[in-house]
Amino acid sequence: MKTLLPILFASVAGMGHAFEADHLLAVGTIISKRDSTLLAIKDGLYWGLGHTTTLVVLGSVIIFSRATFLNSSYFEAAVGAMLVVMGISRLVGKDTFTTSRSPRYQHSFAYTVGLIHGLAGSGALVLFVMSGISDPVWGVVYILIFGLGSMLGMLTVAGLFSIPFTKRMKINRSLRLSAVVVSSGICIVYGGRMIYENLHF
């Protein structure tokens, strides 16, 4: 029973995890290139798949080897650097200041971003799991369900965030552009803060 209780709440915790600031900023930057809610939701799904892949693979390594040294602040700094790069690339991208879209934009980018985000959260998550679940197999099950919950949460986030950028939303072009510029700026500042805090400059 002690093991089952945390397992039951794993998906709920995973959904909440999807709403963390760095996740919202990254996915928000990705889906701002979309003019279709369906494509944005697919981005959210691929982000979740990447995130879950890293959590399960790296989490399994840590759980079975007890290699807690993998819980490093360098992973968090790497996510911060990724956010900075994403924000800058969105600002200088050729489609930012035009009406052109990229309907065939590959979802592999969202998957890669999810993979990197999984690196940042895996160490802390595994330490939490190891403190409450002694059986390593159940620990991996918890992480998998947690990851599936984060996928569901990010599907919701991506769908909501995409609404202002869809064709059906007749928002003033300058207002839409301002939203992209502001969100990209926040992405850069937040990423820079993560780098600073985790590298102890």
Side-chain angles (χ1 to χ4, degrees), residues 20-66:
E20 291 186 1
D22 56 324
H23 299 163
L24 297 178
L25 288 170
V27 174
T29 301
I30 293 171
I31 61 92
S32 68
K33 299 180 180 181
R34 298 298 196 183
D35 58 5
S36 163
T37 299
L38 178 60
L39 290 176
I41 289 176
K42 284 184 178 180
D43 277 332
L45 173 63
Y46 276 84
W47 179 94
L49 285 172
H51 184 260
T52 302
T53 298
T54 304
L55 285 181
V56 172
V57 172
L58 189 57
S60 297
V61 171
I62 297 175
I63 287 176
F64 285 102
S65 68
R66 301 288 169 171

Side-chain angles (χ1 to χ4, degrees), residues 149-189:
S150 69
M151 288 171 59
L152 182 58
M154 192 49 69
L155 287 176
T156 304
V157 169
L160 292 174
F161 277 16
S162 70
I163 292 175
F165 301 99
T166 57
K167 292 178 180 177
R168 293 183 179 181
M169 293 295 289
K170 305 298 183 182
I171 296 179
N172 182 278
R173 181 175 176 274
S174 61
L175 183 60
R176 180 181 297 190
L177 179 59
S178 297
V180 172
V181 171
V182 170
S183 63
S184 299
I186 294 174
C187 198
I188 294 169
V189 171

Side-chain angles (χ1 to χ4, degrees), residues 20-175:
E20 291 186 1
D22 56 324
H23 299 163
L24 297 178
L25 288 170
V27 174
T29 301
I30 293 171
I31 61 92
S32 68
K33 299 180 180 181
R34 298 298 196 183
D35 58 5
S36 163
T37 299
L38 178 60
L39 290 176
I41 289 176
K42 284 184 178 180
D43 277 332
L45 173 63
Y46 276 84
W47 179 94
L49 285 172
H51 184 260
T52 302
T53 298
T54 304
L55 285 181
V56 172
V57 172
L58 189 57
S60 297
V61 171
I62 297 175
I63 287 176
F64 285 102
S65 68
R66 301 288 169 171
T68 54
F69 64 87
L70 290 175
N71 180 27
S72 172
S73 60
Y74 290 113
F75 291 154
E76 294 283 348
V79 170
M82 179 187 68
L83 290 177
V84 171
V85 171
M86 289 179 68
I88 293 174
S89 64
R90 188 68 183 110
L91 286 175
V92 302
K94 63 180 181 180
D95 61 332
T96 301
F97 300 97
T98 66
T99 56
S100 63
R101 284 296 188 217
S102 304
R104 298 187 182 277
Y105 169 71
Q106 298 298 313
H107 298 292
S108 57
F109 179 64
Y111 181 80
T112 302
V113 173
L115 283 174
I116 297 174
H117 263 122
L119 280 175
S122 58
L125 173 62
V126 171
L127 289 177
F128 170 76
V129 172
M130 289 170 64
S131 67
I133 301 176
S134 57
D135 188 335
V137 174
W138 279 111
V140 174
V141 171
Y142 178 97
I143 293 174
L144 178 59
I145 296 175
F146 180 94
L148 293 176
S150 69
M151 288 171 59
L152 182 58
M154 192 49 69
L155 287 176
T156 304
V157 169
L160 292 174
F161 277 16
S162 70
I163 292 175
F165 301 99
T166 57
K167 292 178 180 177
R168 293 183 179 181
M169 293 295 289
K170 305 298 183 182
I171 296 179
N172 182 278
R173 181 175 176 274
S174 61
L175 183 60

